PDB file of all heavy atoms in Angstrom:
ATOM      1  N   PRO W1500      20.775  12.756 -42.455  1.00  0.00           N
ATOM      2  CA  PRO W1500      21.386  14.029 -42.473  1.00  0.00           C
ATOM      3  C   PRO W1500      22.702  14.162 -41.718  1.00  0.00           C
ATOM      4  O   PRO W1500      23.415  15.133 -41.833  1.00  0.00           O
ATOM      5  CB  PRO W1500      20.314  14.935 -41.816  1.00  0.00           C
ATOM      6  CG  PRO W1500      19.536  13.976 -40.988  1.00  0.00           C
ATOM      7  CD  PRO W1500      19.560  12.660 -41.679  1.00  0.00           C
ATOM      8  N   GLY W1501      22.992  13.121 -40.919  1.00  0.00           N
ATOM      9  CA  GLY W1501      24.310  13.117 -40.164  1.00  0.00           C
ATOM     10  C   GLY W1501      24.390  14.283 -39.268  1.00  0.00           C
ATOM     11  O   GLY W1501      23.427  14.661 -38.552  1.00  0.00           O
ATOM     12  N   TRP W1502      25.580  14.994 -39.250  1.00  0.00           N
ATOM     13  CA  TRP W1502      25.765  16.102 -38.365  1.00  0.00           C
ATOM     14  C   TRP W1502      25.830  17.410 -39.147  1.00  0.00           C
ATOM     15  O   TRP W1502      26.657  18.309 -38.880  1.00  0.00           O
ATOM     16  CB  TRP W1502      27.077  15.908 -37.580  1.00  0.00           C
ATOM     17  CG  TRP W1502      27.001  14.629 -36.724  1.00  0.00           C
ATOM     18  CD1 TRP W1502      25.944  14.282 -35.934  1.00  0.00           C
ATOM     19  CD2 TRP W1502      27.985  13.654 -36.578  1.00  0.00           C
ATOM     20  NE1 TRP W1502      26.223  13.087 -35.313  1.00  0.00           N
ATOM     21  CE2 TRP W1502      27.529  12.673 -35.696  1.00  0.00           C
ATOM     22  CE3 TRP W1502      29.274  13.426 -37.105  1.00  0.00           C
ATOM     23  CZ2 TRP W1502      28.192  11.548 -35.308  1.00  0.00           C
ATOM     24  CZ3 TRP W1502      29.999  12.320 -36.778  1.00  0.00           C
ATOM     25  CH2 TRP W1502      29.456  11.382 -35.877  1.00  0.00           C
ATOM     26  N   ASP W1503      24.977  17.482 -40.090  1.00  0.00           N
ATOM     27  CA  ASP W1503      24.855  18.707 -40.923  1.00  0.00           C
ATOM     28  C   ASP W1503      24.534  19.899 -40.040  1.00  0.00           C
ATOM     29  O   ASP W1503      23.616  19.809 -39.227  1.00  0.00           O
ATOM     30  CB  ASP W1503      23.731  18.445 -41.983  1.00  0.00           C
ATOM     31  CG  ASP W1503      23.702  19.592 -42.998  1.00  0.00           C
ATOM     32  OD1 ASP W1503      24.000  20.732 -42.631  1.00  0.00           O
ATOM     33  OD2 ASP W1503      23.323  19.295 -44.130  1.00  0.00           O
ATOM     34  N   PRO W1504      25.249  21.006 -40.151  1.00  0.00           N
ATOM     35  CA  PRO W1504      24.896  22.212 -39.378  1.00  0.00           C
ATOM     36  C   PRO W1504      23.459  22.623 -39.460  1.00  0.00           C
ATOM     37  O   PRO W1504      22.872  23.098 -38.501  1.00  0.00           O
ATOM     38  CB  PRO W1504      25.839  23.285 -39.911  1.00  0.00           C
ATOM     39  CG  PRO W1504      27.031  22.492 -40.447  1.00  0.00           C
ATOM     40  CD  PRO W1504      26.428  21.195 -40.995  1.00  0.00           C
ATOM     41  N   ALA W1505      22.858  22.353 -40.614  1.00  0.00           N
ATOM     42  CA  ALA W1505      21.460  22.748 -40.816  1.00  0.00           C
ATOM     43  C   ALA W1505      20.520  21.914 -39.884  1.00  0.00           C
ATOM     44  O   ALA W1505      19.441  22.380 -39.535  1.00  0.00           O
ATOM     45  CB  ALA W1505      21.035  22.556 -42.274  1.00  0.00           C
ATOM     46  N   VAL W1506      21.015  20.726 -39.455  1.00  0.00           N
ATOM     47  CA  VAL W1506      20.218  19.896 -38.541  1.00  0.00           C
ATOM     48  C   VAL W1506      20.605  20.212 -37.092  1.00  0.00           C
ATOM     49  O   VAL W1506      19.751  20.353 -36.201  1.00  0.00           O
ATOM     50  CB  VAL W1506      20.505  18.413 -38.774  1.00  0.00           C
ATOM     51  CG1 VAL W1506      19.864  17.526 -37.757  1.00  0.00           C
ATOM     52  CG2 VAL W1506      20.050  18.020 -40.183  1.00  0.00           C
ATOM     53  N   CYS W1507      21.888  20.447 -36.824  1.00  0.00           N
ATOM     54  CA  CYS W1507      22.364  20.686 -35.438  1.00  0.00           C
ATOM     55  C   CYS W1507      22.035  22.052 -34.885  1.00  0.00           C
ATOM     56  O   CYS W1507      21.698  22.163 -33.675  1.00  0.00           O
ATOM     57  CB  CYS W1507      23.864  20.451 -35.394  1.00  0.00           C
ATOM     58  SG  CYS W1507      24.374  18.737 -35.691  1.00  0.00           S
ATOM     59  N   GLU W1508      22.065  23.070 -35.700  1.00  0.00           N
ATOM     60  CA  GLU W1508      21.879  24.409 -35.206  1.00  0.00           C
ATOM     61  C   GLU W1508      20.512  24.628 -34.548  1.00  0.00           C
ATOM     62  O   GLU W1508      20.362  25.226 -33.498  1.00  0.00           O
ATOM     63  CB  GLU W1508      22.125  25.431 -36.305  1.00  0.00           C
ATOM     64  CG  GLU W1508      23.584  25.695 -36.607  1.00  0.00           C
ATOM     65  CD  GLU W1508      24.355  26.211 -35.427  1.00  0.00           C
ATOM     66  OE1 GLU W1508      23.787  26.954 -34.631  1.00  0.00           O
ATOM     67  OE2 GLU W1508      25.561  25.864 -35.282  1.00  0.00           O
ATOM     68  N   PRO W1509      19.399  24.150 -35.205  1.00  0.00           N
ATOM     69  CA  PRO W1509      18.087  24.306 -34.556  1.00  0.00           C
ATOM     70  C   PRO W1509      17.998  23.560 -33.221  1.00  0.00           C
ATOM     71  O   PRO W1509      17.316  24.009 -32.303  1.00  0.00           O
ATOM     72  CB  PRO W1509      17.112  23.708 -35.583  1.00  0.00           C
ATOM     73  CG  PRO W1509      17.794  23.773 -36.880  1.00  0.00           C
ATOM     74  CD  PRO W1509      19.287  23.611 -36.542  1.00  0.00           C
ATOM     75  N   LEU W1510      18.697  22.390 -33.141  1.00  0.00           N
ATOM     76  CA  LEU W1510      18.706  21.652 -31.855  1.00  0.00           C
ATOM     77  C   LEU W1510      19.421  22.442 -30.788  1.00  0.00           C
ATOM     78  O   LEU W1510      19.015  22.464 -29.636  1.00  0.00           O
ATOM     79  CB  LEU W1510      19.348  20.292 -32.093  1.00  0.00           C
ATOM     80  CG  LEU W1510      18.565  19.320 -32.957  1.00  0.00           C
ATOM     81  CD1 LEU W1510      19.377  18.009 -33.105  1.00  0.00           C
ATOM     82  CD2 LEU W1510      17.215  19.019 -32.422  1.00  0.00           C
ATOM     83  N   ILE W1511      20.550  23.074 -31.193  1.00  0.00           N
ATOM     84  CA  ILE W1511      21.326  23.905 -30.213  1.00  0.00           C
ATOM     85  C   ILE W1511      20.430  25.054 -29.710  1.00  0.00           C
ATOM     86  O   ILE W1511      20.379  25.281 -28.507  1.00  0.00           O
ATOM     87  CB  ILE W1511      22.604  24.432 -30.902  1.00  0.00           C
ATOM     88  CG1 ILE W1511      23.576  23.276 -31.139  1.00  0.00           C
ATOM     89  CG2 ILE W1511      23.214  25.539 -30.021  1.00  0.00           C
ATOM     90  CD1 ILE W1511      24.786  23.706 -31.897  1.00  0.00           C
ATOM     91  N   GLU W1512      19.721  25.684 -30.611  1.00  0.00           N
ATOM     92  CA  GLU W1512      18.841  26.817 -30.215  1.00  0.00           C
ATOM     93  C   GLU W1512      17.735  26.316 -29.222  1.00  0.00           C
ATOM     94  O   GLU W1512      17.416  26.971 -28.277  1.00  0.00           O
ATOM     95  CB  GLU W1512      18.215  27.501 -31.452  1.00  0.00           C
ATOM     96  CG  GLU W1512      19.239  28.242 -32.322  1.00  0.00           C
ATOM     97  CD  GLU W1512      18.578  28.807 -33.579  1.00  0.00           C
ATOM     98  OE1 GLU W1512      17.344  28.751 -33.622  1.00  0.00           O
ATOM     99  OE2 GLU W1512      19.317  29.186 -34.496  1.00  0.00           O
ATOM    100  N   ARG W1513      17.163  25.154 -29.589  1.00  0.00           N
ATOM    101  CA  ARG W1513      16.078  24.637 -28.708  1.00  0.00           C
ATOM    102  C   ARG W1513      16.620  24.276 -27.330  1.00  0.00           C
ATOM    103  O   ARG W1513      15.991  24.562 -26.341  1.00  0.00           O
ATOM    104  CB  ARG W1513      15.501  23.368 -29.400  1.00  0.00           C
ATOM    105  CG  ARG W1513      14.389  22.707 -28.621  1.00  0.00           C
ATOM    106  CD  ARG W1513      13.071  23.406 -28.696  1.00  0.00           C
ATOM    107  NE  ARG W1513      12.040  22.660 -28.043  1.00  0.00           N
ATOM    108  CZ  ARG W1513      11.561  22.905 -26.797  1.00  0.00           C
ATOM    109  NH1 ARG W1513      12.126  23.862 -26.121  1.00  0.00           N
ATOM    110  NH2 ARG W1513      10.618  22.229 -26.278  1.00  0.00           N
ATOM    111  N   LEU W1514      17.792  23.676 -27.293  1.00  0.00           N
ATOM    112  CA  LEU W1514      18.356  23.320 -25.963  1.00  0.00           C
ATOM    113  C   LEU W1514      18.723  24.551 -25.162  1.00  0.00           C
ATOM    114  O   LEU W1514      18.569  24.560 -23.955  1.00  0.00           O
ATOM    115  CB  LEU W1514      19.574  22.390 -26.164  1.00  0.00           C
ATOM    116  CG  LEU W1514      19.239  20.971 -26.634  1.00  0.00           C
ATOM    117  CD1 LEU W1514      20.504  20.238 -27.030  1.00  0.00           C
ATOM    118  CD2 LEU W1514      18.501  20.216 -25.544  1.00  0.00           C
ATOM    119  N   TRP W1515      19.254  25.586 -25.816  1.00  0.00           N
ATOM    120  CA  TRP W1515      19.556  26.837 -25.086  1.00  0.00           C
ATOM    121  C   TRP W1515      18.263  27.447 -24.469  1.00  0.00           C
ATOM    122  O   TRP W1515      18.276  27.962 -23.375  1.00  0.00           O
ATOM    123  CB  TRP W1515      20.279  27.844 -25.984  1.00  0.00           C
ATOM    124  CG  TRP W1515      21.777  27.688 -26.046  1.00  0.00           C
ATOM    125  CD1 TRP W1515      22.513  27.289 -27.087  1.00  0.00           C
ATOM    126  CD2 TRP W1515      22.631  27.881 -24.957  1.00  0.00           C
ATOM    127  NE1 TRP W1515      23.850  27.250 -26.781  1.00  0.00           N
ATOM    128  CE2 TRP W1515      23.970  27.610 -25.426  1.00  0.00           C
ATOM    129  CE3 TRP W1515      22.512  28.247 -23.608  1.00  0.00           C
ATOM    130  CZ2 TRP W1515      25.099  27.720 -24.622  1.00  0.00           C
ATOM    131  CZ3 TRP W1515      23.633  28.351 -22.827  1.00  0.00           C
ATOM    132  CH2 TRP W1515      24.899  28.053 -23.340  1.00  0.00           C
ATOM    133  N   ALA W1516      17.215  27.404 -25.272  1.00  0.00           N
ATOM    134  CA  ALA W1516      15.905  27.923 -24.779  1.00  0.00           C
ATOM    135  C   ALA W1516      15.468  27.137 -23.580  1.00  0.00           C
ATOM    136  O   ALA W1516      14.960  27.739 -22.612  1.00  0.00           O
ATOM    137  CB  ALA W1516      14.899  27.854 -25.915  1.00  0.00           C
ATOM    138  N   LEU W1517      15.592  25.789 -23.624  1.00  0.00           N
ATOM    139  CA  LEU W1517      15.244  24.994 -22.459  1.00  0.00           C
ATOM    140  C   LEU W1517      16.074  25.334 -21.267  1.00  0.00           C
ATOM    141  O   LEU W1517      15.574  25.451 -20.160  1.00  0.00           O
ATOM    142  CB  LEU W1517      15.445  23.451 -22.802  1.00  0.00           C
ATOM    143  CG  LEU W1517      14.232  22.750 -23.430  1.00  0.00           C
ATOM    144  CD1 LEU W1517      14.683  21.303 -23.748  1.00  0.00           C
ATOM    145  CD2 LEU W1517      13.064  22.713 -22.478  1.00  0.00           C
ATOM    146  N   ARG W1518      17.334  25.540 -21.528  1.00  0.00           N
ATOM    147  CA  ARG W1518      18.293  25.850 -20.388  1.00  0.00           C
ATOM    148  C   ARG W1518      17.874  27.162 -19.761  1.00  0.00           C
ATOM    149  O   ARG W1518      17.885  27.297 -18.499  1.00  0.00           O
ATOM    150  CB  ARG W1518      19.698  25.933 -20.932  1.00  0.00           C
ATOM    151  CG  ARG W1518      20.752  25.849 -19.876  1.00  0.00           C
ATOM    152  CD  ARG W1518      22.132  25.966 -20.464  1.00  0.00           C
ATOM    153  NE  ARG W1518      23.165  25.600 -19.512  1.00  0.00           N
ATOM    154  CZ  ARG W1518      23.550  26.356 -18.451  1.00  0.00           C
ATOM    155  NH1 ARG W1518      22.981  27.541 -18.289  1.00  0.00           N
ATOM    156  NH2 ARG W1518      24.482  25.918 -17.632  1.00  0.00           N
ATOM    157  N   ARG W1519      17.538  28.164 -20.563  1.00  0.00           N
ATOM    158  CA  ARG W1519      17.100  29.440 -20.008  1.00  0.00           C
ATOM    159  C   ARG W1519      15.819  29.316 -19.179  1.00  0.00           C
ATOM    160  O   ARG W1519      15.686  29.949 -18.146  1.00  0.00           O
ATOM    161  CB  ARG W1519      16.955  30.453 -21.123  1.00  0.00           C
ATOM    162  CG  ARG W1519      18.264  30.935 -21.732  1.00  0.00           C
ATOM    163  CD  ARG W1519      18.051  32.090 -22.623  1.00  0.00           C
ATOM    164  NE  ARG W1519      17.344  31.767 -23.848  1.00  0.00           N
ATOM    165  CZ  ARG W1519      17.910  31.338 -24.991  1.00  0.00           C
ATOM    166  NH1 ARG W1519      19.224  31.215 -25.034  1.00  0.00           N
ATOM    167  NH2 ARG W1519      17.203  31.048 -26.030  1.00  0.00           N
ATOM    168  N   GLN W1520      14.880  28.493 -19.645  1.00  0.00           N
ATOM    169  CA  GLN W1520      13.661  28.235 -18.885  1.00  0.00           C
ATOM    170  C   GLN W1520      13.929  27.651 -17.515  1.00  0.00           C
ATOM    171  O   GLN W1520      13.347  28.024 -16.516  1.00  0.00           O
ATOM    172  CB  GLN W1520      12.715  27.301 -19.686  1.00  0.00           C
ATOM    173  CG  GLN W1520      12.105  27.921 -20.900  1.00  0.00           C
ATOM    174  CD  GLN W1520      11.293  26.888 -21.683  1.00  0.00           C
ATOM    175  OE1 GLN W1520      11.020  25.782 -21.180  1.00  0.00           O
ATOM    176  NE2 GLN W1520      10.931  27.193 -22.911  1.00  0.00           N
ATOM    177  N   MET W1521      14.836  26.695 -17.524  1.00  0.00           N
ATOM    178  CA  MET W1521      15.166  26.033 -16.253  1.00  0.00           C
ATOM    179  C   MET W1521      15.819  26.964 -15.220  1.00  0.00           C
ATOM    180  O   MET W1521      15.458  27.039 -14.049  1.00  0.00           O
ATOM    181  CB  MET W1521      16.065  24.826 -16.511  1.00  0.00           C
ATOM    182  CG  MET W1521      15.381  23.705 -17.269  1.00  0.00           C
ATOM    183  SD  MET W1521      16.338  22.171 -17.357  1.00  0.00           S
ATOM    184  CE  MET W1521      17.585  22.632 -18.515  1.00  0.00           C
TER     185      MET W1521
END
Side-chain angles (χ1 to χ4, degrees):
W1502 298 316
D1503 188 328
V1506 174
C1507 293
E1508 285 299 328
L1510 293 177
I1511 291 174
E1512 292 176 12
R1513 178 77 174 99
L1514 289 170
W1515 272 114
L1517 270 177
R1518 196 182 194 284
R1519 287 190 292 271
Q1520 288 175 12
M1521 291 189 288

